[in-house]
Every structure is written in structure tokens, then in C-alpha cells.
Coordinates of all heavy atoms in Angstrom, one line a residue:
M1 N 18.2 106.9 17.2 CA 19.1 108.0 17.1 C 20.3 107.8 18.0 O 21.4 108.2 17.7 CB 18.4 109.3 17.5 CG 19.3 110.5 17.3 SD 18.2 111.9 17.3 CE 19.1 113.0 18.3
W2 N 20.2 107.1 19.1 CA 21.3 106.9 20.0 C 21.8 105.5 20.1 O 22.6 105.2 21.0 CB 20.8 107.3 21.5 CG 20.2 108.7 21.5 CD1 18.9 108.9 21.8 CD2 20.7 109.9 21.1 NE1 18.6 110.3 21.7 CE2 19.8 110.9 21.3 CE3 22.0 110.3 20.6 CZ2 20.0 112.2 21.0 CZ3 22.2 111.6 20.4 CH2 21.2 112.6 20.6
S3 N 21.5 104.6 19.2 CA 22.1 103.3 19.0 C 21.1 102.2 19.3 O 20.0 102.4 19.8 CB 23.3 103.1 19.9 OG 22.9 102.6 21.2
A4 N 21.5 101.0 18.9 CA 20.7 99.9 19.1 C 20.6 99.5 20.5 O 19.8 98.6 20.9 CB 21.2 98.7 18.2
E5 N 21.3 100.1 21.4 CA 21.3 99.8 22.8 C 20.3 100.7 23.6 O 20.1 100.6 24.8 CB 22.7 99.9 23.4 CG 23.7 99.0 22.8 CD 23.2 97.5 22.9 OE1 22.7 97.1 24.0 OE2 23.3 96.8 21.9
S6 N 19.7 101.7 22.8 CA 18.7 102.6 23.5 C 17.5 101.8 23.9 O 17.0 100.9 23.3 CB 18.2 103.6 22.5 OG 19.3 104.4 22.1
D7 N 17.0 102.2 25.1 CA 15.8 101.5 25.6 C 14.6 101.5 24.7 O 13.9 100.5 24.5 CB 15.4 102.1 27.0 CG 16.4 101.8 28.1 OD1 17.1 100.8 27.9 OD2 16.4 102.5 29.1
W8 N 14.3 102.7 24.1 CA 13.2 102.8 23.2 C 13.3 101.8 22.0 O 12.3 101.2 21.6 CB 12.9 104.2 22.7 CG 13.9 104.7 21.7 CD1 15.0 105.3 21.8 CD2 13.7 104.5 20.2 NE1 15.6 105.6 20.6 CE2 14.8 105.0 19.6 CE3 12.8 103.8 19.4 CZ2 15.0 105.0 18.2 CZ3 13.0 103.8 18.1 CH2 14.1 104.4 17.5
Y9 N 14.5 101.7 21.5 CA 14.7 100.9 20.3 C 14.6 99.4 20.7 O 13.9 98.6 20.0 CB 16.1 101.1 19.7 CG 16.5 100.2 18.6 CD1 16.0 100.4 17.3 CD2 17.2 99.0 18.8 CE1 16.2 99.6 16.3 CE2 17.5 98.2 17.7 CZ 17.0 98.5 16.5 OH 17.3 97.6 15.4
R10 N 15.2 99.0 21.8 CA 15.1 97.6 22.3 C 13.6 97.3 22.6 O 13.2 96.2 22.3 CB 16.0 97.4 23.5 CG 17.4 97.5 23.1 CD 18.4 97.1 24.2 NE 18.0 97.8 25.4 CZ 18.7 97.7 26.5 NH1 19.8 97.0 26.6 NH2 18.4 98.4 27.6
N11 N 12.8 98.2 23.2 CA 11.4 98.0 23.4 C 10.6 97.8 22.2 O 9.8 96.9 22.1 CB 10.8 99.1 24.3 CG 11.3 99.1 25.7 OD1 11.8 98.1 26.2 ND2 11.3 100.3 26.3
V12 N 10.9 98.6 21.1 CA 10.2 98.4 19.9 C 10.5 97.1 19.3 O 9.6 96.3 18.9 CB 10.6 99.6 18.9 CG1 10.1 99.2 17.5 CG2 10.1 100.9 19.3
I13 N 11.8 96.7 19.2 CA 12.2 95.4 18.6 C 11.6 94.3 19.4 O 11.2 93.2 18.8 CB 13.7 95.3 18.6 CG1 14.3 96.4 17.7 CG2 14.2 93.9 18.1 CD1 13.9 96.3 16.3
A14 N 11.5 94.4 20.7 CA 10.9 93.3 21.5 C 9.4 93.3 21.4 O 8.7 92.4 22.0 CB 11.3 93.6 23.0
G15 N 8.8 94.2 20.7 CA 7.3 94.2 20.5 C 6.5 95.0 21.4 O 5.3 94.9 21.5
G16 N 7.2 95.9 22.1 CA 6.5 96.7 23.1 C 5.9 98.0 22.5 O 5.2 98.7 23.3
L17 N 6.1 98.3 21.3 CA 5.5 99.5 20.7 C 4.0 99.3 20.5 O 3.5 98.4 19.9 CB 6.1 99.9 19.4 CG 5.5 101.2 18.8 CD1 5.9 102.4 19.6 CD2 6.0 101.4 17.4
V18 N 3.2 100.2 21.2 CA 1.7 100.2 21.0 C 1.3 101.4 20.3 O 0.4 101.4 19.4 CB 1.0 100.0 22.4 CG1 -0.4 100.1 22.3 CG2 1.5 98.7 23.1
E19 N 1.8 102.6 20.6 CA 1.4 103.8 20.0 C 2.6 104.8 20.1 O 3.5 104.7 20.9 CB 0.2 104.4 20.8 CG 0.4 104.7 22.2 CD -0.8 105.0 23.0 OE1 -1.9 104.7 22.5 OE2 -0.7 105.5 24.1
I20 N 2.4 105.8 19.2 CA 3.4 106.9 19.1 C 2.6 108.1 19.5 O 1.5 108.3 19.0 CB 4.0 107.0 17.7 CG1 4.8 105.8 17.3 CG2 4.8 108.3 17.5 CD1 5.3 105.8 15.9
H21 N 3.2 109.0 20.2 CA 2.6 110.3 20.6 C 3.2 111.4 19.8 O 4.4 111.6 19.8 CB 2.8 110.6 22.1 CG 2.2 109.6 23.0 ND1 1.5 109.9 24.1 CD2 2.2 108.2 23.0 CE1 1.1 108.9 24.7 NE2 1.5 107.8 24.1
V22 N 2.3 112.1 19.0 CA 2.7 113.2 18.2 C 1.9 114.4 18.7 O 0.7 114.4 18.5 CB 2.4 112.9 16.7 CG1 2.8 114.1 15.8 CG2 3.1 111.7 16.2
R23 N 2.6 115.3 19.3 CA 2.0 116.4 19.9 C 1.0 115.9 21.0 O 1.4 115.1 21.8 CB 1.4 117.4 18.9 CG 2.4 118.1 18.1 CD 1.8 119.0 17.1 NE 2.8 119.5 16.1 CZ 3.0 118.9 14.9 NH1 2.3 117.8 14.6 NH2 3.9 119.3 14.1
S24 N -0.2 116.2 20.9 CA -1.2 115.7 21.9 C -2.0 114.5 21.4 O -2.8 113.9 22.0 CB -2.1 116.8 22.3 OG -2.9 117.2 21.2
E25 N -1.6 114.0 20.2 CA -2.3 112.9 19.5 C -1.6 111.6 19.7 O -0.4 111.5 19.6 CB -2.5 113.2 18.0 CG -3.4 112.2 17.3 CD -3.5 112.5 15.9 OE1 -3.2 113.6 15.4 OE2 -3.9 111.6 15.1
K26 N -2.3 110.5 20.0 CA -1.8 109.2 20.1 C -2.1 108.4 18.9 O -3.2 108.5 18.4 CB -2.3 108.4 21.4 CG -2.0 109.1 22.7 CD -2.6 108.3 23.8 CE -2.4 109.1 25.1 NZ -3.1 108.4 26.2
R27 N -1.1 107.8 18.3 CA -1.3 107.1 17.0 C -0.8 105.6 17.2 O 0.3 105.4 17.6 CB -0.6 107.7 15.9 CG -1.0 109.2 15.7 CD -0.2 109.8 14.6 NE -0.6 111.2 14.4 CZ 0.0 112.0 13.6 NH1 1.0 111.6 12.9 NH2 -0.4 113.3 13.5
R28 N -1.6 104.7 16.8 CA -1.2 103.3 16.7 C -0.3 103.2 15.5 O -0.5 103.8 14.5 CB -2.3 102.3 16.6 CG -3.1 102.3 17.9 CD -4.3 101.3 17.9 NE -4.0 100.0 17.2 CZ -3.4 98.9 17.7 NH1 -3.0 98.9 18.9 NH2 -3.2 97.9 17.0
A29 N 0.8 102.3 15.6 CA 1.7 102.2 14.5 C 2.3 100.8 14.4 O 2.4 100.1 15.4 CB 2.9 103.2 14.7
E30 N 2.6 100.4 13.2 CA 3.4 99.2 12.9 C 4.8 99.7 12.5 O 5.0 100.8 12.1 CB 2.8 98.5 11.7 CG 1.4 97.9 12.0 CD 0.9 97.2 10.8 OE1 1.3 97.5 9.6 OE2 -0.1 96.4 11.0
W31 N 5.8 98.8 12.7 CA 7.1 99.2 12.4 C 7.8 98.0 11.6 O 7.4 96.9 11.7 CB 7.9 99.5 13.6 CG 8.1 98.3 14.5 CD1 7.2 97.9 15.5 CD2 9.1 97.4 14.5 NE1 7.6 96.8 16.1 CE2 8.8 96.4 15.5 CE3 10.3 97.2 13.8 CZ2 9.7 95.3 15.8 CZ3 11.1 96.1 14.0 CH2 10.8 95.2 15.0
R32 N 8.9 98.4 11.0 CA 9.8 97.4 10.4 C 11.2 98.0 10.3 O 11.4 99.3 10.3 CB 9.3 97.0 9.0 CG 9.4 98.1 8.0 CD 8.9 97.5 6.6 NE 9.0 98.6 5.6 CZ 10.1 99.0 5.0 NH1 11.2 98.4 5.2 NH2 10.1 99.9 4.1
E33 N 12.2 97.2 10.3 CA 13.6 97.6 10.1 C 13.8 97.9 8.6 O 13.4 97.2 7.8 CB 14.6 96.6 10.6 CG 14.5 96.5 12.1 CD 15.6 95.6 12.7 OE1 16.8 96.1 12.6 OE2 15.3 94.5 13.1
L34 N 14.5 99.0 8.3 CA 14.9 99.3 7.0 C 16.1 98.5 6.6 O 17.0 98.3 7.4 CB 15.2 100.8 6.8 CG 14.1 101.8 7.1 CD1 14.6 103.2 6.9 CD2 12.9 101.5 6.3
D35 N 16.2 98.1 5.3 CA 17.4 97.5 4.8 C 18.4 98.6 4.5 O 18.1 99.8 4.5 CB 17.2 96.6 3.6 CG 16.7 97.3 2.4 OD1 17.0 98.5 2.1 OD2 15.9 96.7 1.6
K36 N 19.7 98.3 4.2 CA 20.7 99.3 4.0 C 20.4 100.3 2.9 O 20.7 101.5 3.0 CB 22.1 98.6 3.8 CG 22.6 97.9 5.0 CD 22.8 99.0 6.1 CE 23.4 98.4 7.4 NZ 23.5 99.3 8.5
A37 N 19.8 99.8 1.8 CA 19.5 100.7 0.7 C 18.4 101.7 1.1 O 18.5 102.9 0.8 CB 19.0 99.9 -0.5
E38 N 17.4 101.2 1.8 CA 16.3 102.1 2.3 C 16.9 103.1 3.3 O 16.5 104.2 3.3 CB 15.2 101.3 3.0 CG 14.4 100.4 2.0 CD 13.4 99.5 2.7 OE1 13.8 98.8 3.7 OE2 12.3 99.5 2.3
E39 N 17.8 102.7 4.2 CA 18.4 103.6 5.1 C 19.1 104.7 4.4 O 19.0 105.9 4.8 CB 19.4 102.8 6.0 CG 18.8 101.9 7.0 CD 19.8 101.2 7.9 OE1 21.1 101.4 7.7 OE2 19.4 100.5 8.8
R40 N 19.9 104.3 3.4 CA 20.7 105.3 2.6 C 19.7 106.3 1.9 O 19.9 107.5 1.9 CB 21.6 104.6 1.6 CG 22.7 105.5 1.1 CD 23.7 104.7 0.4 NE 24.6 103.9 1.3 CZ 25.6 104.4 2.0 NH1 25.8 105.7 2.0 NH2 26.3 103.7 2.8
D41 N 18.6 105.8 1.3 CA 17.6 106.7 0.7 C 16.9 107.6 1.7 O 16.8 108.8 1.4 CB 16.5 105.8 0.0 CG 17.1 105.1 -1.2 OD1 18.1 105.4 -1.7 OD2 16.4 104.2 -1.7
A42 N 16.6 107.1 2.8 CA 15.9 107.9 3.9 C 16.8 109.0 4.4 O 16.4 110.1 4.6 CB 15.4 107.0 5.0
A43 N 18.1 108.6 4.6 CA 19.1 109.6 5.0 C 19.2 110.7 4.0 O 19.3 111.9 4.4 CB 20.4 109.0 5.3
E44 N 19.3 110.4 2.7 CA 19.4 111.4 1.7 C 18.2 112.3 1.6 O 18.4 113.5 1.4 CB 19.7 110.7 0.3 CG 19.9 111.6 -0.8 CD 21.1 112.6 -0.7 OE1 22.0 112.3 0.2 OE2 21.1 113.5 -1.4
V45 N 17.0 111.7 1.7 CA 15.8 112.5 1.6 C 15.8 113.5 2.8 O 15.5 114.7 2.6 CB 14.5 111.6 1.7 CG1 13.3 112.4 2.0 CG2 14.4 110.9 0.4
F46 N 16.2 113.1 4.0 CA 16.2 113.9 5.2 C 17.3 115.0 5.0 O 17.1 116.2 5.3 CB 16.5 113.1 6.4 CG 16.5 114.0 7.7 CD1 15.3 114.3 8.2 CD2 17.7 114.4 8.3 CE1 15.3 115.1 9.4 CE2 17.6 115.2 9.4 CZ 16.4 115.5 10.0
R47 N 18.5 114.6 4.5 CA 19.6 115.6 4.3 C 19.2 116.7 3.3 O 19.4 117.9 3.5 CB 20.8 114.9 3.7 CG 22.0 115.8 3.7 CD 23.2 115.2 2.9 NE 22.9 115.0 1.5 CZ 22.8 115.9 0.6 NH1 23.1 117.2 0.9 NH2 22.6 115.6 -0.7
V48 N 18.5 116.3 2.2 CA 18.1 117.3 1.2 C 17.0 118.2 1.8 O 17.0 119.5 1.6 CB 17.6 116.6 -0.1 CG1 16.8 117.6 -1.0 CG2 18.7 116.0 -0.8
A49 N 16.0 117.7 2.6 CA 15.0 118.5 3.1 C 15.4 119.4 4.3 O 14.8 120.4 4.5 CB 13.9 117.5 3.6
H50 N 16.5 119.0 5.0 CA 17.0 119.7 6.2 C 18.5 119.8 6.1 O 19.2 119.2 7.0 CB 16.5 119.0 7.4 CG 15.1 118.7 7.5 ND1 14.1 119.6 7.8 CD2 14.4 117.5 7.3 CE1 12.9 119.0 7.7 NE2 13.1 117.8 7.4
P51 N 19.1 120.6 5.2 CA 20.5 120.6 5.0 C 21.3 121.0 6.2 O 22.3 120.4 6.6 CB 20.7 121.5 3.8 CG 19.5 122.3 3.7 CD 18.4 121.4 4.2
I52 N 20.9 122.0 6.9 CA 21.6 122.5 8.0 C 21.4 121.7 9.3 O 22.3 121.2 9.9 CB 21.3 124.0 8.3 CG1 21.7 124.9 7.2 CG2 21.9 124.5 9.7 CD1 21.2 126.3 7.2
Y53 N 20.1 121.4 9.6 CA 19.8 120.6 10.7 C 20.4 119.2 10.6 O 20.9 118.7 11.6 CB 18.3 120.5 10.9 CG 17.8 119.6 12.0 CD1 18.0 120.2 13.3 CD2 17.3 118.4 11.9 CE1 17.6 119.4 14.4 CE2 16.9 117.6 13.0 CZ 17.1 118.1 14.2 OH 16.7 117.4 15.3
S54 N 20.4 118.6 9.4 CA 21.0 117.3 9.3 C 22.5 117.2 9.6 O 23.0 116.3 10.3 CB 20.7 116.7 7.9 OG 21.4 117.4 6.9
R55 N 23.2 118.3 9.2 CA 24.7 118.3 9.5 C 24.9 118.4 11.0 O 25.7 117.8 11.6 CB 25.3 119.5 8.8 CG 25.6 119.2 7.3 CD 26.5 120.2 6.7 NE 26.2 121.6 6.9 CZ 25.4 122.3 6.1 NH1 24.9 121.8 5.0 NH2 25.2 123.6 6.4
V56 N 24.1 119.3 11.7 CA 24.2 119.5 13.1 C 23.9 118.2 13.9 O 24.7 117.7 14.7 CB 23.3 120.6 13.6 CG1 23.3 120.7 15.1 CG2 23.8 122.0 13.0
I57 N 22.8 117.6 13.5 CA 22.3 116.4 14.3 C 23.3 115.2 14.0 O 23.6 114.5 15.0 CB 20.9 116.0 14.0 CG1 20.3 115.2 15.1 CG2 20.7 115.4 12.7 CD1 20.1 115.8 16.4
L58 N 23.8 115.1 12.8 CA 24.7 114.0 12.6 C 26.1 114.2 13.3 O 26.6 113.2 13.8 CB 25.0 113.9 11.1 CG 23.9 113.3 10.3 CD1 24.1 113.4 8.8 CD2 23.7 111.8 10.6
R59 N 26.5 115.4 13.5 CA 27.7 115.6 14.3 C 27.5 115.3 15.7 O 28.3 114.7 16.4 CB 28.2 117.1 14.1 CG 28.8 117.4 12.8 CD 29.3 118.8 12.7 NE 29.8 119.1 11.4 CZ 29.5 120.2 10.7 NH1 28.8 121.1 11.3 NH2 30.0 120.4 9.5
I60 N 26.3 115.6 16.2 CA 26.0 115.3 17.6 C 25.9 113.8 17.8 O 26.4 113.2 18.8 CB 24.6 116.0 18.0 CG1 24.8 117.5 18.1 CG2 24.1 115.4 19.4 CD1 23.5 118.3 18.2
I61 N 25.2 113.1 16.9 CA 25.1 111.6 17.0 C 26.5 111.0 16.9 O 26.8 110.1 17.7 CB 24.2 111.1 15.8 CG1 22.8 111.5 16.1 CG2 24.4 109.6 15.7 CD1 21.9 111.2 14.9
A62 N 27.3 111.5 16.0 CA 28.7 110.9 15.9 C 29.5 111.1 17.2 O 30.2 110.2 17.7 CB 29.4 111.6 14.7
R63 N 29.4 112.3 17.7 CA 30.1 112.6 19.0 C 29.6 111.7 20.1 O 30.4 111.2 20.9 CB 30.0 114.1 19.3 CG 30.8 114.4 20.6 CD 30.9 115.9 20.9 NE 31.7 116.5 19.9 CZ 31.6 117.8 19.5 NH1 30.7 118.6 20.1 NH2 32.4 118.3 18.6
L64 N 28.3 111.7 20.3 CA 27.7 110.9 21.4 C 28.0 109.4 21.3 O 28.2 108.7 22.3 CB 26.2 111.1 21.5 CG 25.7 112.5 21.9 CD1 24.2 112.6 21.8 CD2 26.1 112.7 23.4
N65 N 28.1 108.9 20.1 CA 28.4 107.5 19.9 C 29.9 107.1 19.7 O 30.2 106.0 19.5 CB 27.5 107.0 18.7 CG 26.1 106.8 19.1 OD1 25.7 105.9 19.8 ND2 25.3 107.7 18.6
G66 N 30.7 108.2 19.7 CA 32.1 107.9 19.5 C 32.5 107.5 18.1 O 33.5 106.8 17.9
F67 N 31.7 107.9 17.1 CA 32.0 107.5 15.7 C 33.2 108.3 15.1 O 33.3 109.5 15.4 CB 30.8 107.7 14.8 CG 29.6 106.9 15.1 CD1 28.3 107.3 14.8 CD2 29.7 105.7 15.8 CE1 27.2 106.6 15.1 CE2 28.5 105.0 16.1 CZ 27.3 105.4 15.8
E68 N 33.9 107.7 14.3 CA 35.1 108.3 13.6 C 34.7 108.6 12.1 O 33.8 107.9 11.6 CB 36.3 107.4 13.7 CG 36.8 107.1 15.1 CD 37.4 108.3 15.8 OE1 37.9 109.2 15.1 OE2 37.3 108.4 17.0
G69 N 35.4 109.5 11.5 CA 35.2 109.8 10.1 C 34.0 110.6 9.8 O 33.5 111.3 10.7
D70 N 33.5 110.5 8.6 CA 32.3 111.2 8.1 C 31.1 110.9 9.0 O 30.7 109.7 9.1 CB 32.0 110.9 6.7 CG 30.8 111.6 6.2 OD1 30.7 112.9 6.3 OD2 29.9 110.9 5.7
P71 N 30.5 111.9 9.7 CA 29.3 111.6 10.5 C 28.2 110.9 9.8 O 27.5 110.0 10.4 CB 28.9 113.0 11.1 CG 30.1 113.8 10.9 CD 30.9 113.3 9.7
A72 N 27.9 111.3 8.6 CA 26.7 110.7 7.9 C 27.0 109.3 7.6 O 26.1 108.4 7.8 CB 26.5 111.5 6.6
E73 N 28.2 109.0 7.1 CA 28.5 107.6 6.7 C 28.6 106.7 8.0 O 28.1 105.6 8.0 CB 29.8 107.5 5.9 CG 30.1 106.2 5.3 CD 29.0 105.7 4.4 OE1 28.3 106.5 3.7 OE2 28.7 104.5 4.3
A74 N 29.2 107.3 9.1 CA 29.3 106.5 10.3 C 27.9 106.2 10.9 O 27.7 105.1 11.4 CB 30.1 107.3 11.3
A75 N 27.0 107.1 10.8 CA 25.6 106.9 11.3 C 24.9 105.8 10.5 O 24.3 104.9 11.0 CB 24.8 108.2 11.3
L76 N 25.1 105.8 9.2 CA 24.5 104.8 8.3 C 25.1 103.4 8.6 O 24.4 102.4 8.5 CB 24.8 105.2 6.8 CG 23.8 106.2 6.2 CD1 24.3 106.6 4.9 CD2 22.4 105.7 6.2
Q77 N 26.4 103.4 8.9 CA 27.0 102.1 9.1 C 26.7 101.5 10.5 O 26.8 100.3 10.7 CB 28.5 102.2 8.9 CG 28.9 102.5 7.5 CD 28.4 101.5 6.5 OE1 28.6 100.3 6.8 NE2 27.9 101.9 5.4
N78 N 26.4 102.4 11.5 CA 26.3 101.9 12.9 C 25.0 102.0 13.5 O 24.8 101.4 14.6 CB 27.3 102.7 13.7 CG 28.8 102.4 13.3 OD1 29.3 101.3 13.6 ND2 29.4 103.4 12.6
L79 N 24.0 102.8 13.0 CA 22.8 102.9 13.6 C 21.6 102.3 12.8 O 21.5 102.5 11.6 CB 22.4 104.4 13.8 CG 23.4 105.2 14.7 CD1 22.9 106.7 14.8 CD2 23.5 104.6 16.1
P80 N 20.8 101.5 13.4 CA 19.7 100.9 12.7 C 18.6 102.0 12.5 O 18.5 103.0 13.2 CB 19.1 99.9 13.7 CG 19.5 100.4 15.0 CD 20.8 101.1 14.8
M81 N 17.8 101.8 11.5 CA 16.7 102.7 11.2 C 15.4 101.9 11.1 O 15.4 100.8 10.6 CB 16.9 103.5 9.9 CG 17.9 104.5 9.9 SD 17.8 105.5 8.4 CE 19.4 106.3 8.4
L82 N 14.4 102.5 11.6 CA 13.0 101.8 11.6 C 12.1 102.7 10.8 O 12.2 103.9 10.8 CB 12.5 101.7 13.0 CG 13.3 100.9 14.0 CD1 12.6 100.9 15.4 CD2 13.5 99.5 13.5
A83 N 11.2 102.0 10.1 CA 10.1 102.7 9.4 C 8.8 102.5 10.2 O 8.6 101.4 10.7 CB 9.9 102.2 8.0
F84 N 8.0 103.5 10.4 CA 6.7 103.4 11.1 C 5.6 103.7 10.2 O 5.7 104.6 9.3 CB 6.7 104.4 12.3 CG 7.7 104.1 13.4 CD1 9.0 104.6 13.3 CD2 7.4 103.2 14.4 CE1 9.9 104.3 14.3 CE2 8.3 102.9 15.4 CZ 9.6 103.4 15.3
R85 N 4.5 103.0 10.3 CA 3.3 103.2 9.5 C 2.1 103.3 10.4 O 1.9 102.4 11.3 CB 3.1 102.1 8.5 CG 2.0 102.3 7.6 CD 1.9 101.2 6.6 NE 1.5 99.9 7.2 CZ 0.2 99.6 7.4 NH1 -0.8 100.4 7.1 NH2 -0.1 98.4 7.9
R86 N 1.4 104.3 10.3 CA 0.2 104.5 11.1 C -0.8 103.4 10.8 O -1.1 103.0 9.7 CB -0.4 105.9 10.8 CG -1.6 106.2 11.8 CD -2.1 107.6 11.5 NE -3.1 107.9 12.4 CZ -3.6 109.1 12.6 NH1 -3.2 110.1 11.9 NH2 -4.6 109.3 13.5
V87 N -1.4 102.9 11.9 CA -2.4 101.8 11.8 C -3.7 102.5 12.2 O -3.8 103.1 13.3 CB -2.1 100.6 12.7 CG1 -3.2 99.6 12.6 CG2 -0.8 100.0 12.3
E88 N -4.8 102.4 11.4 CA -6.0 103.0 11.7 C -6.7 102.2 12.8 O -6.6 100.9 12.8 CB -7.0 103.0 10.5 CG -6.5 103.9 9.4 CD -6.3 105.4 9.8 OE1 -7.1 105.9 10.6 OE2 -5.3 106.0 9.3
S89 N -7.3 102.8 13.8 CA -7.9 102.2 14.9 C -9.2 101.5 14.5 O -9.9 101.9 13.7 CB -8.2 103.2 16.0 OG -7.0 103.7 16.4

């Protein structure tokens, strides 16, 4: 959410992700980077499911990262997206 320079993102890419914490539950996960088509599809699914929240969060992301133009398009062009899949223990 905050760029490819974020510590959490760099740690995941470097192989440091072991588990994700969801509420009080710890979950082992695998990850992969999404390609541009998958990023666009994921963003659209999120936008449809959360129309108000997505507009607000995209404006915040654009402002924090200094993006110009349409916040949704700027985020798609400048921010990487990862997919996570739960791995059974």
C-alpha cells in the first residue's frame, strides 16, 4: 500500500514472510507478485465491493506517494500488488 520501498514489502520479496496475523490467528502463507492484468482485475473487484472506501483509500495512497492524476490509475501504475495463499500447516 505504501510503495515498493516499504519494509514489509521488501521483507516479503526477500523471502522473510513466514506467517500472516489475522485478528488473533496466525496463518502460514505463500505469495506471488501479480501481473498487470491481475492487478487491474483485483483493483476492480475491490472497487466494486467497497465503492466509498476504495475512493478514500486511493486518494490517501496518491497523496502519501505524491502521485498525480487519477488516484486509481496512478496506484495501478506505481504500486506492486501481491497475492497471498494460505498454506496448511
Side-chain angles (χ1 to χ4, degrees):
M1 184 164 139
W2 308 118
S3 85
E5 300 305 314
S6 297
D7 288 341
W8 76 267
Y9 177 80
R10 292 187 311 185
N11 288 338
V12 169
I13 298 300
L17 180 68
V18 175
E19 61 191 15
I20 296 173
H21 296 226
V22 179
R23 295 181 190 91
S24 62
E25 186 180 344
K26 296 177 185 177
R27 301 176 182 176
R28 290 184 36 88
E30 294 178 341
W31 64 273
R32 67 179 181 81
E33 291 188 72
L34 298 180
D35 65 32
K36 288 299 180 186
E38 291 173 314
E39 287 179 359
R40 199 164 287 282
D41 290 345
E44 180 63 14
V45 167
F46 185 78
R47 188 191 65 75
V48 168
H50 309 282
I52 296 170
Y53 180 73
S54 65
R55 284 195 307 269
V56 171
I57 201 70
L58 285 169
R59 287 184 184 136
I60 292 169
I61 289 170
R63 182 173 292 155
L64 288 173
N65 287 286
F67 297 157
E68 298 292 329
D70 176 57
E73 191 59 33
L76 282 170
Q77 294 301 316
N78 294 288
L79 297 179
M81 286 191 198
L82 302 176
F84 295 91
R85 185 177 70 83
R86 186 176 183 171
V87 176
E88 297 300 324
S89 299

